[in-house]
Amino acid sequence: MRYDGVGRLATTVGRNGPPATGFIALVAALLLLRGIFFWYFLEAGGSPFQPDSERYLILGANLAESGRFSASSGDFEPEVFRTPGYPFFLSLVPGIEARPVAWVAAAQELIYVFSALLAFAGLRRLLGEPLAKASLIFLLVEPGGLAFPKLIASETLFLPLGLGAVLAGGLYLRGGGRRWALLAGLALGAATLVRPVATYLPLLFLLVMWFARGSRRELAAGDAACGWRGGWSWGR
């Protein structure tokens, strides 16, 4: 097989690769492999902790116990250095007060697999099935995608939101209706609540939409959707 770039490689894979049943079998095998890696991670006593992990777990436990977004155990001191999206996700994990890191990692593994399937579905509509298949296979075996879901960190939860915004924006730019601009704005707003690094991304995203389509109505729809997270972001 001659490699002349990602696009041509994906097209070659799509034309000469296995039929649909073979592709499904390959994906199933890769999912089984991910399951084996996850089991090995737990059995080997791998550590899911990062520098921010402990504080995230405290925030999640306090949200579950008292509904307070605070890391303090006594007098209420609101958290102003971290966004509430990931701690809220942690608060939904049963028994988060007991630090069930294995359950958190399992939930994040499912989120990552969902993100890979979301990428496949979106890219199939935007760029065609061959590239979508190649992207799905890559995402299921990519080293970062194997490691990050097992860590107590916000990257995995951020992935489907940021990815969903990009795909929705792409569908809008390809001639989709106003609902795609609205969905992109909602996803970007939610992504900002998970990782503050995305705070200014909605503004850039809306400018791209504006120059590509030039419709004030779509711009207003996306702006309103992004704006729902603005109160907390600026108020903190």
Side-chain angles (χ1 to χ4, degrees):
M1 181 190 306
R2 189 165 60 92
Y3 177 80
D4 292 328
V6 175
R8 184 164 296 182
L9 175 62
T11 302
T12 305
V13 170
R15 290 175 179 173
N16 301 331
T21 53
F23 175 71
I24 293 174
L26 176 59
V27 171
L30 293 177
L31 291 175
L32 177 61
L33 183 63
R34 292 187 67 92
I36 293 173
F37 277 133
F38 181 78
W39 173 83
Y40 178 77
F41 173 79
L42 296 179
E43 288 296 314
S47 174
F49 288 94
Q50 296 293 293
D52 283 343
S53 298
E54 184 66 27
R55 194 170 187 89
Y56 275 135
L57 288 169
I58 293 173
L59 290 170
N62 285 346
L63 274 174
E65 289 179 346
S66 61
R68 302 186 311 168
F69 185 54
S70 172
S72 61
S73 57
D75 295 335
F76 175 70
E77 296 179 7
E79 174 66 41
V80 296
F81 295 107
R82 289 164 183 80
T83 47
Y86 188 63
F88 175 75
F89 160 74
L90 292 176
S91 73
L92 301 178
V93 177
I96 189 61
E97 300 86 352
R99 312 292 176 84
V101 292
W103 285 107
V104 174
Q108 292 184 165
E109 183 71 21
L110 293 177
I111 291 174
Y112 184 85
V113 171
F114 168 78
S115 300
L117 295 175
L118 177 64
F120 170 74
L123 290 175
R124 184 169 59 177
R125 292 189 60 176
L126 288 169
L127 301 175
E129 188 164 330
L131 185 57
K133 287 182 176 180
S135 299
L136 177 58
I137 293 172
F138 171 78
L139 288 172
L140 291 178
V141 299
E142 191 266 325
L146 288 170
F148 271 102
K150 300 170 181 61
L151 304 178
I152 308 297
S154 60
E155 281 82 356
T156 302
L157 185 61
F158 177 81
L159 177 61
L161 299 172
L163 175 63
V166 172
L167 293 175
L171 290 169
Y172 164 71
L173 294 177
R174 286 286 297 270
R178 195 179 308 164
R179 68 183 183 278
W180 292 112
L182 180 64
L183 183 60
L186 288 171
L188 283 171
T192 304
L193 290 179
V194 173
R195 286 184 62 80
V197 69
T199 296
Y200 300 105
L201 186 59
L203 301 177
L204 176 62
F205 208 86
L206 291 172
L207 286 175
V208 171
M209 287 187 175
W210 167 255
F211 284 110
R213 292 285 295 270
S215 172
R216 290 183 175 85
R217 292 182 177 180
E218 275 76 6
L219 183 67
D223 195 19
C226 290
W228 70 272
R229 56 86 187 171
W232 185 89
S233 295
W234 294 108
R236 74 192 183 100

Coordinates of all heavy atoms in Angstrom, one line a residue, residues 47-114:
S47 N -1.8 3.9 39.2 CA -2.3 5.1 39.9 C -3.1 6.0 38.9 O -2.5 6.4 37.9 CB -1.2 5.8 40.6 OG -1.7 7.0 41.1
P48 N -4.3 6.4 39.2 CA -5.1 7.3 38.4 C -4.9 8.7 38.8 O -5.5 9.6 38.2 CB -6.5 6.8 38.6 CG -6.5 6.4 40.0 CD -5.2 5.8 40.3
F49 N -4.0 9.0 39.7 CA -3.9 10.4 40.3 C -3.0 11.3 39.5 O -1.9 10.9 39.2 CB -3.6 10.3 41.8 CG -4.7 9.8 42.6 CD1 -4.7 8.4 43.0 CD2 -5.7 10.6 43.1 CE1 -5.7 7.9 43.7 CE2 -6.7 10.1 43.9 CZ -6.7 8.8 44.2
Q50 N -3.4 12.5 39.3 CA -2.7 13.6 38.8 C -2.6 14.7 39.8 O -3.3 14.6 40.8 CB -3.3 14.1 37.5 CG -3.4 13.0 36.4 CD -2.0 12.7 35.8 OE1 -1.3 13.5 35.2 NE2 -1.5 11.5 36.1
P51 N -1.9 15.8 39.5 CA -1.8 16.9 40.6 C -3.1 17.4 41.0 O -3.2 17.8 42.2 CB -0.9 17.9 39.8 CG -0.1 17.2 38.9 CD -0.9 16.0 38.4
D52 N -4.1 17.5 40.1 CA -5.4 18.0 40.5 C -6.4 17.0 41.0 O -7.5 17.3 41.3 CB -6.0 18.8 39.3 CG -5.4 20.2 39.2 OD1 -4.7 20.7 40.1 OD2 -5.5 20.8 38.1
S53 N -6.1 15.7 40.9 CA -7.0 14.7 41.1 C -7.7 14.7 42.5 O -8.9 14.6 42.7 CB -6.4 13.3 40.9 OG -5.9 13.2 39.6
E54 N -6.8 14.9 43.5 CA -7.4 14.9 44.9 C -8.4 16.0 45.1 O -9.5 15.8 45.7 CB -6.2 15.1 45.9 CG -6.6 15.0 47.3 CD -7.1 13.6 47.7 OE1 -6.7 12.6 47.1 OE2 -7.9 13.5 48.7
R55 N -8.1 17.2 44.6 CA -9.0 18.3 44.8 C -10.3 18.0 44.0 O -11.4 18.4 44.4 CB -8.4 19.6 44.3 CG -9.2 20.9 44.8 CD -8.4 22.1 44.6 NE -9.1 23.3 45.2 CZ -8.9 23.7 46.4 NH1 -8.1 23.1 47.2 NH2 -9.5 24.8 46.9
Y56 N -10.2 17.5 42.8 CA -11.4 17.1 42.0 C -12.3 16.2 42.8 O -13.5 16.3 42.8 CB -11.0 16.5 40.7 CG -10.7 17.5 39.6 CD1 -9.6 17.4 38.8 CD2 -11.6 18.6 39.4 CE1 -9.3 18.3 37.8 CE2 -11.3 19.5 38.4 CZ -10.2 19.3 37.6 OH -9.9 20.3 36.6
L57 N -11.7 15.2 43.4 CA -12.5 14.2 44.2 C -13.1 14.8 45.4 O -14.3 14.5 45.7 CB -11.6 13.0 44.6 CG -11.1 12.1 43.5 CD1 -10.0 11.1 44.0 CD2 -12.3 11.3 43.0
I58 N -12.5 15.7 46.0 CA -13.1 16.4 47.2 C -14.2 17.3 46.7 O -15.3 17.3 47.3 CB -12.0 17.3 47.9 CG1 -10.9 16.4 48.6 CG2 -12.7 18.2 48.9 CD1 -9.8 17.2 49.1
L59 N -14.1 18.0 45.6 CA -15.2 18.8 45.1 C -16.3 18.0 44.7 O -17.5 18.3 45.0 CB -14.7 19.6 43.9 CG -13.7 20.7 44.2 CD1 -13.1 21.3 42.9 CD2 -14.4 21.9 44.9
G60 N -16.1 16.8 44.0 CA -17.1 15.9 43.7 C -17.9 15.3 44.8 O -19.1 15.3 44.9
A61 N -17.1 15.0 45.9 CA -17.7 14.4 47.1 C -18.6 15.5 47.8 O -19.7 15.2 48.3 CB -16.7 13.9 48.0
N62 N -18.1 16.7 47.9 CA -18.9 17.7 48.5 C -20.2 18.1 47.8 O -21.2 18.3 48.3 CB -18.0 19.0 48.7 CG -17.0 18.9 49.8 OD1 -17.1 18.0 50.7 ND2 -16.1 19.8 49.8
L63 N -20.1 18.0 46.4 CA -21.3 18.2 45.6 C -22.3 17.1 45.9 O -23.5 17.4 46.0 CB -20.9 18.3 44.1 CG -20.5 19.7 43.6 CD1 -20.0 19.5 42.1 CD2 -21.6 20.7 43.7
A64 N -21.8 15.9 46.0 CA -22.7 14.8 46.2 C -23.4 14.8 47.6 O -24.5 14.5 47.8 CB -22.0 13.5 46.0
E65 N -22.6 15.2 48.6 CA -23.1 15.2 50.0 C -24.0 16.4 50.3 O -25.0 16.2 50.9 CB -21.9 15.2 50.9 CG -21.1 13.9 50.9 CD -19.9 14.0 51.9 OE1 -19.5 15.1 52.3 OE2 -19.4 12.9 52.2
S66 N -23.5 17.6 49.9 CA -24.3 18.8 50.3 C -24.7 19.7 49.2 O -25.3 20.7 49.5 CB -23.4 19.6 51.3 OG -22.2 20.0 50.7
G67 N -24.3 19.4 48.0 CA -24.6 20.3 46.9 C -23.8 21.5 46.8 O -24.1 22.5 46.1
R68 N -22.7 21.6 47.6 CA -21.8 22.8 47.7 C -20.6 22.6 46.7 O -19.9 21.6 46.8 CB -21.3 23.0 49.1 CG -22.4 23.2 50.1 CD -21.8 23.6 51.5 NE -20.7 22.7 51.8 CZ -19.8 23.0 52.8 NH1 -20.0 24.1 53.5 NH2 -18.9 22.1 53.1
F69 N -20.3 23.6 45.9 CA -19.1 23.6 45.1 C -18.0 24.2 45.9 O -17.7 25.4 45.7 CB -19.4 24.3 43.8 CG -18.2 24.2 42.8 CD1 -17.7 23.0 42.5 CD2 -17.6 25.3 42.3 CE1 -16.6 22.9 41.6 CE2 -16.6 25.2 41.4 CZ -16.1 24.0 41.0
S70 N -17.4 23.4 46.7 CA -16.4 23.9 47.6 C -15.5 22.7 48.0 O -15.9 21.6 48.1 CB -17.0 24.5 48.9 OG -16.0 24.9 49.8
A71 N -14.2 23.0 48.2 CA -13.3 22.0 48.7 C -13.1 22.1 50.2 O -12.3 21.3 50.8 CB -11.9 22.2 48.0
S72 N -13.7 23.0 50.9 CA -13.6 23.2 52.3 C -14.5 22.2 53.1 O -15.6 21.9 52.6 CB -13.9 24.6 52.8 OG -15.2 24.9 52.4
S73 N -14.1 21.7 54.2 CA -14.9 20.8 55.0 C -15.6 21.5 56.1 O -16.5 20.9 56.7 CB -14.0 19.7 55.6 OG -12.9 20.3 56.4
G74 N -15.3 22.7 56.4 CA -15.9 23.5 57.5 C -16.8 24.6 56.9 O -17.8 24.3 56.3
D75 N -16.4 25.8 57.2 CA -17.1 27.0 56.6 C -17.1 26.9 55.1 O -16.0 26.6 54.5 CB -16.5 28.3 57.1 CG -16.7 28.4 58.6 OD1 -17.6 27.8 59.2 OD2 -15.9 29.1 59.3
F76 N -18.2 27.3 54.5 CA -18.3 27.3 53.0 C -17.3 28.3 52.4 O -17.4 29.5 52.7 CB -19.7 27.5 52.6 CG -19.9 27.6 51.1 CD1 -19.7 26.5 50.3 CD2 -20.1 28.8 50.5 CE1 -19.9 26.5 49.0 CE2 -20.3 28.9 49.1 CZ -20.2 27.7 48.4
E77 N -16.4 27.8 51.6 CA -15.6 28.7 50.8 C -15.7 28.3 49.3 O -15.2 27.2 48.9 CB -14.1 28.5 51.2 CG -13.8 29.0 52.6 CD -12.4 28.8 53.0 OE1 -11.6 28.4 52.1 OE2 -12.1 29.0 54.2
P78 N -16.3 29.1 48.5 CA -16.6 28.7 47.1 C -15.3 28.4 46.3 O -14.3 29.2 46.5 CB -17.4 29.8 46.5 CG -17.1 31.0 47.4 CD -16.9 30.4 48.8
E79 N -15.3 27.4 45.5 CA -14.2 27.1 44.6 C -14.1 28.1 43.5 O -15.1 28.3 42.8 CB -14.3 25.7 44.1 CG -13.2 25.3 43.1 CD -11.8 25.3 43.7 OE1 -11.7 24.8 44.8 OE2 -10.9 25.8 43.1
V80 N -13.0 28.8 43.3 CA -12.9 29.8 42.2 C -11.8 29.5 41.2 O -11.6 30.2 40.3 CB -12.7 31.2 42.8 CG1 -13.9 31.6 43.6 CG2 -11.4 31.3 43.7
F81 N -11.0 28.4 41.5 CA -9.9 28.1 40.6 C -10.2 27.0 39.6 O -9.4 26.8 38.7 CB -8.7 27.8 41.4 CG -8.2 28.9 42.3 CD1 -8.4 29.0 43.6 CD2 -7.5 30.0 41.7 CE1 -7.9 30.0 44.4 CE2 -7.1 31.1 42.4 CZ -7.3 31.1 43.8
R82 N -11.3 26.3 39.8 CA -11.6 25.2 39.0 C -13.1 25.3 38.5 O -13.9 25.7 39.3 CB -11.4 23.8 39.6 CG -9.9 23.5 39.8 CD -9.6 22.4 40.8 NE -8.2 22.2 41.0 CZ -7.4 22.9 41.8 NH1 -7.9 24.0 42.4 NH2 -6.2 22.7 41.9
T83 N -13.3 24.9 37.3 CA -14.7 24.9 36.8 C -15.5 23.7 37.3 O -14.9 22.7 37.7 CB -14.6 24.9 35.3 OG1 -13.8 23.9 34.8 CG2 -14.2 26.2 34.7
P84 N -16.8 23.9 37.4 CA -17.6 22.8 38.1 C -18.0 21.6 37.2 O -18.6 20.7 37.7 CB -18.9 23.6 38.5 CG -19.0 24.7 37.4 CD -17.6 25.1 37.0
G85 N -17.7 21.6 35.9 CA -18.2 20.5 35.1 C -17.7 19.2 35.5 O -18.5 18.2 35.7
Y86 N -16.3 19.0 35.7 CA -15.8 17.7 36.0 C -16.2 17.3 37.4 O -16.5 16.1 37.6 CB -14.3 17.7 35.8 CG -13.7 16.3 35.9 CD1 -14.0 15.3 35.1 CD2 -12.7 16.1 37.0 CE1 -13.4 14.0 35.2 CE2 -12.2 14.8 37.1 CZ -12.5 13.8 36.2 OH -12.0 12.6 36.4
P87 N -16.1 18.2 38.4 CA -16.6 17.8 39.7 C -18.0 17.3 39.8 O -18.4 16.4 40.5 CB -16.4 19.0 40.6 CG -15.2 19.7 40.0 CD -15.4 19.5 38.5
F88 N -18.9 18.0 38.9 CA -20.3 17.6 38.9 C -20.4 16.1 38.3 O -21.2 15.3 38.8 CB -21.1 18.5 38.0 CG -22.5 18.1 37.8 CD1 -23.4 18.2 38.8 CD2 -22.9 17.6 36.5 CE1 -24.7 17.8 38.6 CE2 -24.2 17.2 36.3 CZ -25.1 17.3 37.4
F89 N -19.6 15.8 37.3 CA -19.5 14.5 36.7 C -19.1 13.5 37.8 O -19.8 12.4 38.0 CB -18.6 14.4 35.6 CG -18.1 13.0 35.2 CD1 -19.0 12.1 34.6 CD2 -16.8 12.6 35.5 CE1 -18.5 10.8 34.3 CE2 -16.4 11.4 35.2 CZ -17.2 10.5 34.6
L90 N -18.1 13.8 38.6 CA -17.7 12.9 39.7 C -18.7 12.7 40.7 O -18.9 11.6 41.3 CB -16.4 13.5 40.3 CG -15.1 13.5 39.5 CD1 -14.0 14.1 40.2 CD2 -14.7 12.1 39.1
S91 N -19.5 13.8 41.0 CA -20.6 13.7 42.0 C -21.7 12.7 41.6 O -22.4 12.2 42.5 CB -21.2 15.0 42.3 OG -22.0 15.5 41.2
L92 N -21.8 12.4 40.3 CA -22.8 11.4 39.8 C -22.3 10.0 40.0 O -23.1 9.1 39.8 CB -23.1 11.7 38.4 CG -23.6 13.1 38.1 CD1 -23.9 13.3 36.6 CD2 -24.9 13.4 38.8
V93 N -21.0 9.7 40.3 CA -20.5 8.4 40.4 C -21.0 7.9 41.8 O -20.8 8.5 42.8 CB -19.0 8.4 40.3 CG1 -18.5 6.9 40.6 CG2 -18.5 8.9 39.0
P94 N -21.7 6.7 41.8 CA -22.2 6.2 43.1 C -21.0 6.0 44.1 O -20.0 5.5 43.8 CB -22.8 4.8 42.7 CG -23.1 5.0 41.3 CD -22.1 5.9 40.7
G95 N -21.3 6.5 45.3 CA -20.3 6.3 46.4 C -19.0 7.1 46.2 O -17.9 6.7 46.7
I96 N -19.1 8.2 45.6 CA -17.9 9.0 45.3 C -17.2 9.4 46.6 O -15.9 9.6 46.6 CB -18.2 10.3 44.4 CG1 -17.0 11.0 44.0 CG2 -19.1 11.2 45.2 CD1 -16.1 10.2 43.1
E97 N -17.9 9.5 47.7 CA -17.3 9.9 48.9 C -16.2 8.9 49.4 O -15.2 9.2 50.1 CB -18.3 10.0 50.1 CG -19.4 11.0 49.8 CD -20.6 10.5 49.0 OE1 -20.4 9.3 48.5 OE2 -21.6 11.2 48.8
A98 N -16.3 7.6 48.9 CA -15.4 6.5 49.2 C -14.3 6.4 48.2 O -13.5 5.5 48.2 CB -16.1 5.2 49.4
R99 N -14.2 7.4 47.3 CA -13.1 7.4 46.2 C -13.1 6.1 45.4 O -12.1 5.4 45.3 CB -11.8 7.6 46.9 CG -11.7 8.8 47.9 CD -11.9 10.1 47.1 NE -11.9 11.2 48.1 CZ -10.8 11.8 48.6 NH1 -9.6 11.4 48.1 NH2 -10.9 12.8 49.4
P100 N -14.2 5.8 44.7 CA -14.2 4.6 43.9 C -13.6 4.8 42.5 O -14.2 4.9 41.5 CB -15.7 4.3 43.7 CG -16.4 5.6 43.8 CD -15.5 6.4 44.7
V101 N -12.2 5.0 42.5 CA -11.5 5.4 41.3 C -11.7 4.4 40.2 O -11.6 4.8 39.0 CB -10.0 5.6 41.6 CG1 -9.8 6.8 42.6 CG2 -9.4 4.4 42.2
A102 N -11.9 3.1 40.5 CA -12.1 2.2 39.4 C -13.4 2.5 38.7 O -13.5 2.4 37.4 CB -12.2 0.8 40.0
W103 N -14.5 2.9 39.4 CA -15.7 3.2 38.7 C -15.6 4.5 37.9 O -16.2 4.6 36.9 CB -16.8 3.4 39.8 CG -17.3 2.0 40.3 CD1 -17.1 1.5 41.6 CD2 -18.1 1.1 39.7 NE1 -17.6 0.3 41.7 CE2 -18.3 0.0 40.6 CE3 -18.7 1.0 38.4 CZ2 -19.0 -1.1 40.2 CZ3 -19.4 -0.2 38.0 CH2 -19.6 -1.2 39.0
V104 N -14.8 5.4 38.4 CA -14.6 6.7 37.7 C -13.9 6.3 36.4 O -14.2 6.8 35.3 CB -13.8 7.7 38.5 CG1 -13.4 8.9 37.6 CG2 -14.6 8.1 39.7
A105 N -12.8 5.5 36.5 CA -12.1 5.1 35.3 C -13.0 4.4 34.3 O -12.9 4.6 33.1 CB -10.9 4.3 35.7
A106 N -13.8 3.5 34.8 CA -14.7 2.7 33.9 C -15.7 3.7 33.2 O -15.9 3.5 32.0 CB -15.5 1.7 34.7
A107 N -16.2 4.6 33.9 CA -17.2 5.6 33.3 C -16.4 6.4 32.2 O -17.0 6.7 31.1 CB -17.8 6.5 34.3
Q108 N -15.2 6.8 32.5 CA -14.5 7.6 31.5 C -14.1 6.8 30.3 O -14.0 7.3 29.2 CB -13.2 8.2 32.2 CG -13.6 9.3 33.3 CD -12.4 10.0 33.9 OE1 -12.6 11.0 34.5 NE2 -11.2 9.4 33.7
E109 N -13.8 5.5 30.5 CA -13.5 4.6 29.4 C -14.7 4.6 28.4 O -14.6 4.6 27.2 CB -13.2 3.2 29.9 CG -12.8 2.2 28.8 CD -11.4 2.5 28.2 OE1 -10.6 3.2 28.8 OE2 -11.2 2.1 27.0
L110 N -15.9 4.5 29.0 CA -17.1 4.5 28.2 C -17.3 5.8 27.5 O -17.7 5.9 26.3 CB -18.4 4.2 29.0 CG -18.4 2.8 29.6 CD1 -19.6 2.6 30.5 CD2 -18.5 1.7 28.5
I111 N -17.0 6.9 28.1 CA -17.1 8.2 27.5 C -16.1 8.3 26.3 O -16.4 8.9 25.3 CB -16.8 9.3 28.6 CG1 -17.9 9.4 29.6 CG2 -16.6 10.7 27.9 CD1 -17.7 10.4 30.7
Y112 N -14.9 7.8 26.5 CA -13.9 7.9 25.4 C -14.4 7.0 24.2 O -14.3 7.5 23.1 CB -12.6 7.4 25.9 CG -11.5 7.5 24.8 CD1 -10.9 8.7 24.6 CD2 -11.2 6.5 23.9 CE1 -9.9 8.9 23.6 CE2 -10.3 6.6 22.9 CZ -9.7 7.8 22.8 OH -8.8 8.0 21.7
V113 N -14.9 5.8 24.5 CA -15.4 5.0 23.4 C -16.6 5.7 22.7 O -16.7 5.7 21.4 CB -15.8 3.6 23.9 CG1 -16.5 2.8 22.8 CG2 -14.6 2.9 24.4
F114 N -17.4 6.3 23.4 CA -18.5 7.1 22.8 C -18.0 8.2 22.0 O -18.5 8.5 20.9 CB -19.4 7.7 23.9 CG -20.4 8.7 23.4 CD1 -21.5 8.3 22.8 CD2 -20.1 10.1 23.6 CE1 -22.4 9.3 22.3 CE2 -21.0 11.0 23.2 CZ -22.2 10.6 22.5

